Amino acid sequence: MALPLANRYDGIRRIAPTDITTRGGAVHGHLATSLLIRIRSRAHATLQQQMYRGIRRAILTGAAVPGTRLPSSRALADDLGVSRTTAVLALEQLAAEGYLASRRGAGTFVADDLPDDFPSVPGRGRTRTGRHPGPPTQPPLSRRGAALATAPEGAERLAGPPRAFRIGTPGLDLFPIALWQRLITRRLRSATAAQLDYGDPAGLRALREAIAGHVQMARGTQCSADQVVVVGGAQQGLDLICRMLLDPGERAWMEEPGYPGARSALLGAGARIVPVRVDAEGLDVGAGARRAGDARLVYLTPSHQYPLGVPMSLRRRLALLRWAGSARAWIIEDDYDSEFRYGTRPIPCLHGLDAGGRVIYVGSFSKTLFPALRLGFLIAPAGLQERLVAGRRVADQHPPALDQAALADFILDGHFARHLRRMRTAYRERLDALAAAVERYCGDALRLRPVRTGLHAVAELAGADAVKVSREAARRGLEVTPLTAYYAQRARAVNGLVLGFAAVRPDVLARGAERLAGAIDAARRS
Ligand SMILES: Cc1ncc(COP(=O)(O)O)c(C=O)c1O
């Protein structure tokens, strides 16, 4: 039987068939053209790796099905222009991993009994048996996994740099990158071997002290560094708290409308989510107690309700703490963007009113610094911190030590307080630009609710459907989120839009409002 021949082609060598039989589009008998083993002399991978990957890919994509005979190592080496040793090593690796099997005296074949951990078949539309993929044969996800995988994501993002009205992203154009680089470099230069080892799972001590100091000064509560757990963003904190405090099937109150990230964390813990309405005073505690008085946990954003923006009244805060005390329930206070206030005094956090040790405070550096930093923190009541730390070890041991150290320096050297002051002024300008532009271009259709805190505004929409408007807006390169995206019961949603104003400059917001007016018109006409 003839062997495949080498075939030079634009610097790529491929194995050409001289003897092929095909069945169902896949190659049987000799390894054939469809292998397309690409050997590039200037590739990042070694020749052996390239050969290994080429054959493996042919098997994974179904181009070479079980039972296909491979040429000898010598013939392959000749065909591909590599040394015999290279070819032997590549084939040995494939055999060791179970892709190939040798039959004494007959040669090397694609194994009949292929490994179970097959990756999917990207882009080829054929399975490893050469057939087109049928119904999924994978084992199912867990019930929690399935709920998580289908949970709505909230705001949609267009590719590329921030667009007008993006929510969740701060003014990254004003972040002092050069200063951050200096702090990181300084820490990296002075790193010792000991600092390369596993660190404290509660987070770097210096950072926990800096966080405790800042929160006490800025958020009106008492806490010590021993209560702080540094986490990989608020999201990891929410996930950790829900997993540690809820058993599957237990009920948890969630603001309606509310933050999709918290909803996912609750789903991930197997909680039964009870949506509790939000009105002008924030979460309606009475309604929650009537619907699910036995709930184990409450998630809320009392300083700046997400997404409606209302602060929770003192009356409701006290009612919630009273209820949690009698129901033996935990409270998660997500204080995600309360550092930014416009013309009002700071509203102290709920944690500061909690005498019963029920409130777990969640903070994030995603809004105050930048989201890619992936650092946030929890402040846990006495007695809970060590248990949360035990649970966080399971996730990631601790966040990267270098970033934690640079952040501690950023806070302790006074840069954090300065950055917050500067950003408050910038966001005030951006908010004013948004309000003026909405009034000017969309005044008849959009009414902005007053904004006193945070980085987004809520606008009530008249005469057009918010979902249609957001679709039309996306066509015009804008990111406008309908309020429905935040409701579990979408039919109850107010017809309105959430408009971020932090991520882009005032002139971009003004031009965006002009285009938004066009989107509203188009949605009305449709
Ligand atoms: C309500 C709420 N909580 C928390 C966060 C911050 O999450 P993370 O620290 O995981 O970026 C956000 C970010 O958009 C948010 O909107």
Side-chain angles (χ1 to χ4, degrees), residues 140-151 239 242-244 246-249 263-272:
L141 296 176
S142 67
R143 246 174 276 146
R144 283 183 230 173
L148 270 179
T150 53
D239 181 60
C242 293
R243 279 189 297 110
M244 293 300 285
L246 284 170
D247 277 322
R263 197 169 288 130
S264 297
L266 290 168
L267 285 174
R272 278 157 60 206

Side-chain angles (χ1 to χ4, degrees), residues 167-169 232-238 258-260 262 299 301 304 306 334-337 362-367 371 374-376 456:
I167 50 177
T169 299
Q235 191 60 39
Q236 190 189 45
L238 296 174
Y259 178 49
Y299 165 84
T301 46
H304 183 231
Y306 190 92
D334 182 352
D335 204 31
Y336 64 106
D337 71 356
V362 179
S364 170
F365 290 102
S366 292
K367 309 287 172 269
R374 303 313 306 137
L375 285 175
H456 68 261

Side-chain angles (χ1 to χ4, degrees), residues 417-504:
R418 249 193 312 282
H419 182 60
L420 289 180
R421 275 200 300 277
R422 178 167 177 241
M423 294 312 287
R424 269 182 214 123
T425 308
Y427 291 146
R428 168 94 251 179
E429 277 168 28
R430 291 180 181 195
L431 172 60
D432 289 347
L434 173 76
V438 163
E439 174 67 31
R440 176 165 176 207
Y441 296 109
C442 318
D444 61 328
L446 271 187
R447 194 184 65 79
L448 227 53
R449 289 187 182 172
V451 178
R452 299 199 178 86
T453 309
L455 307 178
H456 68 261
V458 169
E460 287 167 28
L461 185 60
D465 174 63
V467 174
K468 282 187 188 159
V469 169
S470 70
R471 246 182 256 138
E472 289 294 339
R475 285 200 192 116
R476 291 161 174 77
L478 306 172
E479 288 178 1
V480 174
T481 314
L483 268 174
T484 41
Y486 303 97
Y487 282 80
Q489 297 155 321
R490 293 191 167 199
R492 299 203 174 170
V494 175
N495 189 38
L497 302 172
V498 183
L499 304 175
F501 57 81
V504 296

Side-chain angles (χ1 to χ4, degrees), residues 280-297:
E281 286 190 70
L283 182 87
D284 185 340
V285 179
R290 281 191 298 280
R291 286 198 64 194
D294 62 346
R296 287 295 311 280
L297 186 144

Side-chain angles (χ1 to χ4, degrees), residues 89 107 116 134 145 157 183 192 211 317 349 440 487 506:
L89 289 174
D116 291 337
R157 290 186 158 201
L183 296 179
T192 62
I211 288 171
R317 288 170 190 241
C349 60
R440 176 165 176 207
Y487 282 80

